[in-house]
Amino acid sequence: MAAMTVAADLLADTFCPIPDIAPLSPVDMDAAIEAARAAVGLPVGSRIVAAMSGGVDSTVVAALLHKAGYDVVGVTLQLYDHGAALKKKGACCAGQDIHDARLAAETLGIPHYVLDYESRFRDAVIDQFADSYLKGQTPVPCIRCNQTVKFRDLLDVARDLGAAAMATGHYVGRAVTTEGRVQMRKAIDHSRDQSYFLFATTPDQLDYLRFPLAGLEKPVVRGVAAELGLRIAAKPDSQDICFVPSGDYRTLIDRLRPQGREAGEIVHMDGRVLGKHAGITDYTIGQRRGLNVAVGEPLFVTRLDPDQRRVIVGPREALLTASLTLDETNWLGDQTSIEAAASENTPVLARVRSTRPPSPARLTLVEGVMSVVFDQGEEGVAPGQACALYDPTDPDRLLGGGFIRDTIASAS
C-alpha cells in the first residue's frame, strides 16, 4: 500500500494458477482499452503513475494504460511485514503482492518502483486502528490508508516523477462537468463500487487521480488479465485487513494496546449489571454473538463506555439512530464547503457502512455541530465508521462525508 529485489525464477511456483477464463475477443479488448483511455482523458503519451498493489485490478489498470499508449510507471508500496503474511494458511499467494507487481511490470515492460512506507503506514493506519478500538470506536483502516498513505504521500511521489496523473484500480467513477468541476461517482459495477471508502478524497486529489476500471465489470477485468497472459488473472481478491494476515485483529490490538484487555462490566441500558467482559476491544456496536449473557431476549451492543470499561447492551430497537455528528469532513458537492451545504439543510443519502444501502437524510448544523439527521432513523451506526453522502437527485454521485463521532438514538 528499501526496494526489494527478488529473482523472478525463484517466484515461479508461488503464483496462483490461472483457471479456465475465456479470453476476450479483440473487439472486447479494444473496447476495454478505449474505456481506460476515456477514463484518463489525457493525451496519449502522457506519463501516468499506476499504483500497483499486486492484485488483478491494479495490474490490469497498468496493462490497459500501457496498451493505450501512455508512458506508465508502476509504483508499489511496502506497507507491512510481508513475511508474516506468507505464513497465512488457506489463501493463494498470500504475501506475494510485491513480487506479483514486480513480475507484472516486467511482463508489461514498464518501469517499476517499490517504496518502503512501512513506518508511515504504521503511524497513520495501524496505530490509529488500535487507538480507535480503545476509544470504543469501529475504525475503517482502508479509508485511512487511502486518505493518508495512498492519496497524500503517493500522489506526491507521482508528481515528483513528472506524471500528469496517478491511476488506481479502485472501482469508482470520475467525471468532469461542463463547468470544469470534478465529481466522484459510483462505478458501473455497483457490486464492486468503492466510493464509500474514498469519501475523504479532496477536490485537488480527485483532479489528479484517474480510475480506469470505472466502466468495467470484474469478469471483464479478469478476462483482460487472462488475454494479456498475466499470471495474476485468477488471483483471489483480498478479504481481510491487509496488515492482519491471520484475520484475528484482536490479537494485534492486544499486542499494540494491552490496556484494552482490562476487564469490565456488561450492563443493560436499564442499569442492570448482566455480567463481565475480558476487554472492551472485543466488542463493536450492533454485536449480538459472544456476549455470554442470557436474559431471555436477544441483546445487542448499543454503546461502549471505554472510560468506565462498560459494554452497554439492549434490544435491537435501541440500535436505531436518529442522527449523528461528523468529524474530519470532506466535500465534493456544488456548494463552496460542507458548512455551506449544512447551513442549507441539504438533502443527502447517507451511507453509514459499506455493506448498507444509503438512507435519506439531511446534512445540517445542530447547535453548530456538523450533523446528519435521518428521515426515518438508521440501524447499527457506530462511532469511528465513515458516513458517505450521496446526491438524492443523482444517487451515483458522491458528495463527501466524514467520520462518525457521536450518535443520538431514536428512542432518546
Side-chain angles (χ1 to χ4, degrees):
M1 87 175 163
M4 299 176 63
T5 302
V6 183
D9 58 344
L10 295 179
L11 295 171
D13 293 334
T14 68
F15 293 96
C16 302
I18 300 178
D20 186 16
I21 300 178
L24 299 179
S25 68
V27 174
D28 288 333
M29 178 62 76
D30 289 344
I33 292 172
E34 188 55 41
R37 189 180 287 124
V40 169
L42 293 171
V44 170
S46 300
R47 172 166 290 182
I48 300 176
V49 163
M52 299 179 68
S53 68
V56 63
D57 296 325
S58 61
T59 303
V60 166
V61 162
L64 288 175
L65 296 182
H66 177 62
K67 291 290 185 182
Y70 292 102
D71 176 15
V72 180
V73 178
V75 176
T76 300
L77 302 183
Q78 178 183 340
L79 300 179
Y80 58 96
D81 183 2
H82 285 67
L86 281 168
K87 301 173 184 177
K88 183 178 178 181
K89 297 180 179 179
C92 181
C93 303
Q96 296 299 315
D97 292 343
I98 288 177
H99 313 317
D100 290 359
R102 183 184 294 281
L103 187 60
E106 290 177 359
T107 301
L108 295 171
I110 63 173
H112 179 250
Y113 301 94
V114 178
L115 306 180
D116 184 354
Y117 274 26
E118 194 167 333
S119 61
R120 302 187 197 194
F121 186 72
R122 182 176 59 249
D123 293 342
V125 180
I126 298 178
D127 286 345
Q128 193 275 340
F129 176 80
D131 288 339
S132 291
Y133 274 100
L134 280 188
K135 298 174 184 176
Q137 299 176 341
T138 306
V140 193
C142 292
I143 294 178
R144 288 294 182 189
C145 183
N146 290 325
Q147 181 188 33
T148 56
V149 177
K150 291 181 180 176
F151 285 2
R152 184 188 64 197
D153 299 340
L154 184 54
L155 255 67
D156 289 340
V157 171
R159 290 188 174 99
D160 289 342
L161 289 172
M166 188 178 88
T168 78
H170 290 100
Y171 285 86
V172 69
R174 176 186 179 277
V176 181
T177 68
T178 54
E179 295 81 17
R181 192 176 188 89
V182 183
Q183 297 180 353
M184 181 174 287
R185 306 185 63 81
K186 293 180 182 178
I188 191 172
D189 187 347
H190 282 194
S191 68
R192 294 279 175 176
D193 175 66
Q194 294 173 297
S195 58
Y196 172 84
F197 297 100
L198 300 181
F199 87 84
T201 306
T202 67
D204 286 344
Q205 291 169 344
L206 187 57
D207 187 59
Y208 189 68
L209 288 163
R210 299 295 188 274
F211 308 105
L213 303 186
L216 301 179
E217 295 184 345
K218 187 59 175 266
V220 174
V221 172
R222 289 198 180 275
V224 169
E227 174 78 8
L228 295 176
L230 298 173
R231 297 294 298 273
I232 47 73
K235 187 173 181 178
D237 292 332
S238 176
Q239 299 295 327
D240 300 318
I241 300 171
C242 70
F243 55 87
V244 189
S246 67
D248 182 9
Y249 70 88
R250 290 183 175 91
T251 298
L252 173 69
I253 296 171
D254 291 346
R255 177 169 59 82
L256 296 177
R257 303 291 186 269
Q259 61 268 41
R261 190 47 66 189
E262 296 179 1
E265 296 176 331
I266 298 177
V267 182
H268 196 282
M269 56 190 304
D270 65 11
R272 290 176 290 158
V273 177
L274 303 180
K276 300 284 187 179
H277 66 77
I280 199 169
T281 54
D282 283 344
Y283 301 89
T284 57
I285 301 298
Q287 180 177 333
R288 178 181 176 183
R289 296 182 178 180
L291 301 182
N292 296 320
V293 296
V295 295
E297 61 175 328
L299 294 177
F300 300 80
V301 176
T302 61
R303 187 166 62 87
L304 297 171
D305 184 349
D307 294 334
Q308 300 297 320
R309 300 196 302 279
R310 285 186 162 190
V311 175
I312 315 300
V313 298
R316 181 166 186 166
E317 53 265 28
L319 292 173
L320 195 64
T321 297
S323 64
L324 57 86
T325 59
L326 294 177
D327 271 338
E328 300 181 62
T329 56
N330 181 56
W331 189 246
L332 296 170
D334 293 330
Q335 293 93 331
T336 55
S337 66
I338 193 169
E339 290 78 13
S343 68
E344 298 172 6
N345 293 314
T346 299
V348 294
L349 293 173
R351 190 176 190 179
V352 297
R353 288 182 185 267
S354 63
T355 54
R356 292 187 67 84
S359 296
R362 286 181 297 109
L363 178 66
T364 187
L365 294 172
V366 178
E367 297 180 354
V369 179
M370 189 67 59
S371 303
V372 174
V373 179
F374 295 100
D375 289 0
Q376 298 181 353
E378 179 63 291
E379 188 175 286
V381 184
Q385 290 274 302
C387 178
L389 307 175
Y390 298 85
D391 186 347
T393 65
D394 183 5
D396 283 349
R397 182 185 180 187
L398 178 75
L399 296 176
F403 288 100
I404 300 169
R405 183 175 70 186
D406 294 307
T407 62
I408 299 175
S410 294
S412 63

